[in-house]
Amino acid sequence: MNIQSKDLEVKFFYFSLKFTPLKSYDNLNSSDIIKNVITYISQKLIKDKLGHLIDKHETRDNSRREMFINRAVFVHNERRIRCSMALLRSGRKPLLKPKDKFTLISIDEYGIDSIVEETHFFIDFSKNTPIVCCEYQHFGPRMSDIEFYFRNVAHYVLRESKATDANFFIDAPIDETLEKMKNVLNFEVKIQPVNLNQLDTNLKNKYYSGFNTLASVLKPKFVKIETSFQTNEKGFESSSIDKPINKMVRDTLLAFKGRAFNMDAFDSFVVKYEDKEGNEEIFNLFKGKKEIILNLDIAAIKNRDLYPLIKNDFDQFILTV
């Protein structure tokens, strides 16, 4: 009898979290501030038996994205913090199937108020700017959610920081591409409609509003668009390419560079372009992302069990930054 493995591929990626302190706290670096945020959260969880819930979509009508840190444990001898964040699922509540029965039961019968998606992440505060090793959880909190949460607590609760920036560690050469790119030949992008609201408003309204229109009519899980601006026809010259696509790609790359959470909205972003020397080049945003790939029974493993599995890679990565 074949026993099917329950292991799944789980990815972890790295990003930095930098805080700009208020003038009255200019003696604090980013690691000091993140430790203060985690200390506050830990006290809420352990002493007060409460969490700190934040709704990222509080200012939006008919939309909620509520989250809270449900685990925050200092590993002082390693200058690390083991964390996990829970995202409350909105919309229709799922049903439960009992073991060995083909019936469905409402979760309300068990007194369950909400269903959550959990993302595990680990913080290194050994340097002035903390580095985060974060699980990629498709349905759970993402980098932009974690950045928003810490920004909210550091600014509105502790009053220590006036700004927070999160940045992926990737090999994708954004600056080099901006410098070399002459004309876009092909453009491929994949995005979940629900993530469009993570984009800067100007970027979304100017270039990606059509995705929202398509999503509202067809209601897909993903929208994937591939456009081509080159042809095999004889006499084709790249100078004939429509200029708006060049500006769209350039503005999006600048948004990635300026505010990295814009990257978090996309599942794929690939550009084939002609450089100033007439050579064809490919820019793939996520191909160069620094990450750890593990095969795990994610349903059974716990946060404290995950840390030893990523520790060696995390140690080696910290030495390079």
Side-chain angles (χ1 to χ4, degrees):
M1 180 176 67
N2 292 327
I3 300 176
Q4 188 174 5
S5 173
K6 295 181 180 179
D7 288 0
L8 295 174
E9 183 178 273
V10 181
K11 294 183 179 181
F12 293 81
F13 63 94
Y14 299 104
F15 64 90
S16 62
L17 204 54
K18 185 177 182 180
F19 297 86
T20 303
L22 291 168
K23 190 173 182 180
S24 55
Y25 288 97
D26 60 3
N27 62 313
L28 298 179
N29 60 39
S30 294
S31 285
D32 294 327
I33 293 174
I34 207 166
K35 285 187 290 181
N36 292 342
V37 171
I38 291 297
T39 298
Y40 164 78
I41 296 298
S42 297
Q43 289 176 343
K44 294 283 287 183
L45 290 171
I46 298 171
K47 291 185 178 180
D48 301 336
K49 306 297 181 184
L50 295 169
H52 185 86
L53 185 73
I54 294 175
D55 183 1
K56 189 178 179 182
H57 293 176
E58 183 180 9
T59 59
R60 301 178 190 175
D61 294 330
N62 304 315
S63 179
R64 290 188 304 170
R65 192 169 179 85
E66 296 174 313
M67 64 195 82
F68 63 97
I69 289 182
N70 60 304
R71 184 179 292 100
V73 179
F74 280 96
V75 186
H76 288 287
N77 62 323
E78 298 183 29
R79 300 181 67 78
R80 300 264 170 89
I81 310 167
R82 294 191 291 106
C83 302
S84 60
M85 179 179 284
L87 174 69
L88 274 63
R89 282 179 51 174
S90 58
R92 180 186 296 179
K93 290 184 180 180
L95 300 174
L96 305 177
K97 176 191 172 298
K99 187 176 181 180
D100 300 326
K101 291 184 180 180
F102 288 89
T103 58
L104 299 179
I105 300 173
S106 170
I107 63 172
D108 293 333
E109 294 185 22
Y110 292 89
I112 298 173
D113 179 62
S114 301
I115 298 294
V116 303
E117 298 286 352
E118 184 182 35
T119 295
H120 303 287
F121 61 99
F122 309 95
I123 303 170
D124 182 281
F125 57 89
S126 62
K127 301 185 179 184
N128 287 344
T129 299
I131 306 298
V132 182
C133 178
C134 183
E135 173 193 12
Y136 175 75
Q137 218 281 57
H138 180 73
F139 298 104
R142 295 192 169 196
M143 181 187 78
S144 55
D145 297 312
I146 295 170
E147 182 270 337
F148 180 88
Y149 191 95
F150 278 95
R151 169 161 46 99
N152 188 288
V153 174
H155 180 70
Y156 293 107
V157 179
L158 302 183
R159 303 287 181 180
E160 293 180 353
S161 174
K162 61 183 178 182
T164 308
D165 291 305
N167 284 289
F168 282 119
F169 286 94
I170 59 174
D171 287 331
I174 294 177
D175 286 329
E176 181 184 336
T177 301
L178 286 167
E179 172 64 26
K180 292 168 53 178
M181 187 174 68
K182 178 182 177 183
N183 281 313
V184 173
L185 303 176
N186 292 84
F187 177 53
E188 180 183 313
V189 62
K190 179 181 177 183
I191 192 168
Q192 296 178 68
V194 70
N195 290 333
L196 285 166
N197 287 327
Q198 295 183 30
L199 292 172
D200 279 333
T201 302
N202 289 340
L203 189 69
K204 180 183 69 174
N205 291 343
K206 190 171 184 179
Y207 298 118
Y208 297 95
S209 59
F211 285 63
N212 261 333
T213 303
L214 184 64
S216 64
V217 175
L218 302 179
K219 304 191 184 309
K221 294 293 183 183
F222 291 91
V223 176
K224 182 177 180 180
I225 301 292
E226 182 175 359
T227 57
S228 179
F229 299 90
Q230 64 180 157
T231 174
N232 293 326
E233 291 179 8
K234 202 170 183 180
F236 168 78
E237 295 182 4
S238 66
S239 58
S240 65
I241 289 176
D242 194 17
K243 301 301 180 184
I245 185 60
N246 293 334
K247 182 166 175 50
M248 176 183 178
V249 170
R250 187 172 294 276
D251 286 350
T252 304
L253 291 177
L254 287 169
F256 292 161
K257 182 181 174 183
R259 305 184 76 184
F261 65 79
N262 285 293
M263 300 183 200
D264 209 23
F266 293 91
D267 289 275
S268 177
F269 187 95
V270 181
V271 180
K272 181 181 178 183
Y273 66 94
E274 179 190 49
D275 68 14
K276 294 176 181 178
E277 303 298 323
N279 302 311
E280 291 188 2
E281 301 281 353
I282 293 178
F283 172 88
N284 188 328
L285 179 63
F286 296 112
K287 186 176 180 179
K289 187 189 289 187
K290 303 288 189 181
E291 61 186 13
I292 303 170
I293 301 176
L294 302 174
N295 288 294
L296 305 169
D297 182 0
I298 198 64
I301 202 162
K302 297 180 180 179
N303 181 278
R304 65 173 179 267
D305 302 321
L306 277 174
Y307 179 65
L309 299 177
I310 60 93
K311 181 183 181 307
N312 288 340
D313 288 278
F314 201 6
D315 291 344
Q316 292 301 312
F317 182 77
I318 292 298
L319 293 175
T320 68
V321 295

